[in-house]
Amino acid sequence: QVQLVESGGGLVQAGGSLRLSCAASGSTFSRYVMGWFRQAPGKEREFVAAIKWSGGITDYADSRKGRFTISRDNAKNTMYLQMNNLKPEDTAVYYCAARYDVSSKYDYWGQGTQVTVSS
């Protein structure tokens, strides 16, 4: 059973940085795509970024390009989201998720980590 555990959230001032981590276990992930999503209060969950575990091909929501960087460490089975120049509108619960590369649906989700950006 795939398990995903996020960490690294917290409170940061606008303009600051945070790095989120997602520790993955329960499978070999060479055929998986891993993603970050976020959900702000009263809003729908939205896509942030994704990375193909094998090869490291990345994809970003347009509005996050340039400020957010997704990466993974194969040896640690861990995915990261480096977030720079954070803005109050980045405040949300951030979730990591995983899907098999031939699937369009993310089947596995972490519990989420809160990111709060103060102005």
Side-chain angles (χ1 to χ4, degrees), residues 35-56:
W36 287 101
F37 293 77
R38 70 185 188 184
Q39 187 166 20
K43 295 187 177 181
E44 292 188 353
R45 186 170 60 198
E46 62 178 357
F47 171 75
V48 176
I51 187 166
K52 191 171 183 181
W53 201 264
S54 177

Side-chain angles (χ1 to χ4, degrees), residues 58-72:
T58 59
D59 183 29
Y60 294 90
D62 286 344
S63 59
R64 257 72 72 186
K65 285 181 181 177
R67 294 194 300 124
F68 290 9
T69 302
I70 190 171
S71 62
R72 88 274 188 252

Side-chain angles (χ1 to χ4, degrees), residues 54-113:
S54 177
I57 296 171
T58 59
D59 183 29
Y60 294 90
D62 286 344
S63 59
R64 257 72 72 186
K65 285 181 181 177
R67 294 194 300 124
F68 290 9
T69 302
I70 190 171
S71 62
R72 88 274 188 252
D73 184 326
N74 288 353
K76 296 182 179 179
N77 263 11
T78 300
M79 176 178 65
Y80 304 98
L81 184 68
Q82 177 68 43
M83 304 185 293
N84 297 327
N85 190 23
L86 284 161
K87 305 175 181 181
E89 52 264 40
D90 294 317
T91 295
V93 178
Y94 284 71
Y95 298 91
C96 71
R99 64 174 173 85
Y100 208 59
D101 61 2
V102 295
S103 172
S104 61
K105 178 176 174 290
Y106 284 85
D107 292 313
Y108 305 99
W109 293 84
Q111 82 287 352
T113 186

